[in-house]
Amino acid sequence: IANGLSTGEIQGSYDVPLPALGQLSSSTGGSLYYGEGMQIMAIISTGNGLFGDPAVRRALTRATDRQAIADTKAALIRALKPDGLAVLNADDPMVMAMASQSAGRVVLVGRGDTAQVRADDVALNKRGQASFTMTLPGCTGERVELALHGEHHVGNALSVAAVAHFWGMEPAAIAQALGEAHAQSRWRMEVTERVDGITIVNDAYNANPESMRAALQALVAMRSNGRTIAVVGEMRELGEDSETEHERV
């Protein structure tokens, strides 16, 4: 699953919620589904596993370097067998360009009209949990209500749905499993509601600029009538870019 070069797996903000459906081994920057004989069956390549490297982070500001990263990540897509599956983000042109390099089936996910697995009517409740209407091939729409916090989970959920549908899971069962998914790691958008009315959102697992933006957007969505306070780490892995990125966020 290739979500993008700059907004793929957002470290510290979310994990691809496939454990609800089983069979996922997740890691920063990508995971693989294995079939019999350890053959790669589906690619989970969330896109920004290189953001911890300050040199790569700076290189991303230049289009030629972004293309080089895209070409490197496309090697995963090229590794698929004809009976494999590539799930690509239809909303990211660089990821979409990988489609022609897959020997296996390609499924496009996103919010645009070109997506085969699509999210429409996205809404957030007061706890920052997203709901949306999920469209799958041959299915007019299933309403999904996520328990995870943050709108950024919608893209993850679509990718999960694409893999589950490919393996024959019914749309209603997919929607139910997505709604039951919870964070598999501590300190990733971990929400605690105290008896004194204070809500704590702990997203301290790790951070990069993209994850911090996503977490802050979720915090804004969860804001009530009281004060909202954000305590953020230094993102030291960004090296000399740390202070600049903090200012941008």
Side-chain angles (χ1 to χ4, degrees):
I1 298 172
N3 288 333
L5 300 179
S6 60
T7 56
E9 183 186 58
I10 300 180
Q11 296 182 35
S13 281
Y14 62 83
D15 202 354
V16 180
L18 273 167
L21 308 179
Q23 306 184 52
L24 173 71
S25 173
S26 179
S27 63
T28 299
S31 301
L32 304 175
Y33 273 99
Y34 291 102
E36 294 182 5
M38 297 300 286
Q39 177 181 332
I40 295 175
M41 297 298 293
I43 296 294
I44 315 295
S45 180
T46 49
N48 75 341
L50 297 176
F51 267 110
D53 185 333
V56 174
R57 176 69 187 167
R58 289 191 294 272
L60 288 178
T61 61
R62 299 190 296 273
T64 55
D65 293 303
R66 285 180 58 81
Q67 186 59 56
I69 293 172
D71 292 342
T72 299
K73 290 191 175 291
L76 289 171
I77 306 301
R78 293 192 294 270
L80 282 173
K81 301 296 183 182
D83 59 347
L85 172 67
V87 180
L88 304 179
N89 182 359
D91 300 329
D92 187 318
M94 282 191 166
V95 174
M96 277 279 289
M98 299 178 188
S100 62
Q101 302 180 53
S102 173
R105 179 180 172 184
V106 174
V107 175
L108 305 178
V109 302
R111 301 195 190 187
D113 294 337
T114 59
Q116 297 159 291
V117 178
R118 190 176 69 251
D120 294 308
D121 303 321
V122 177
L124 289 178
N125 64 19
K126 293 181 180 179
R127 302 189 74 239
Q129 296 161 311
S131 61
F132 61 94
T133 300
M134 176 181 66
T135 297
L136 294 163
C139 171
T140 56
E142 289 282 346
R143 195 67 186 170
V144 176
E145 296 184 359
L146 298 177
L148 298 162
H149 299 272
E151 187 175 349
H152 51 281
H153 281 296
V154 173
N156 284 337
L158 292 176
S159 298
V160 172
V163 176
H165 187 259
F166 177 76
W167 280 339
M169 197 169 181
E170 293 296 324
I174 295 173
Q176 179 179 348
L178 290 174
E180 294 172 352
H182 295 278
Q184 299 299 300
S185 302
R186 294 182 61 198
W187 305 345
R188 294 192 179 213
M189 295 301 293
E190 188 176 271
V191 177
T192 302
E193 296 179 345
R194 302 190 345 172
V195 295
D196 57 4
I198 296 175
T199 299
I200 299 173
V201 181
N202 185 351
D203 194 43
Y205 181 88
N206 199 354
N208 60 48
E210 285 69 33
S211 73
M212 197 171 289
R213 288 187 187 93
L216 291 174
Q217 288 168 356
L219 183 63
V220 169
M222 297 170 67
R223 181 169 53 194
S224 60
N225 295 326
R227 292 187 301 163
T228 301
I229 301 172
V231 181
V232 297
E234 294 181 301
M235 297 189 292
R236 290 182 179 178
E237 66 271 25
L238 297 180
E240 63 186 49
D241 291 338
S242 176
E243 184 175 349
T244 299
E245 291 297 341
H246 263 283
E247 291 175 355
R248 288 178 179 173
V249 172

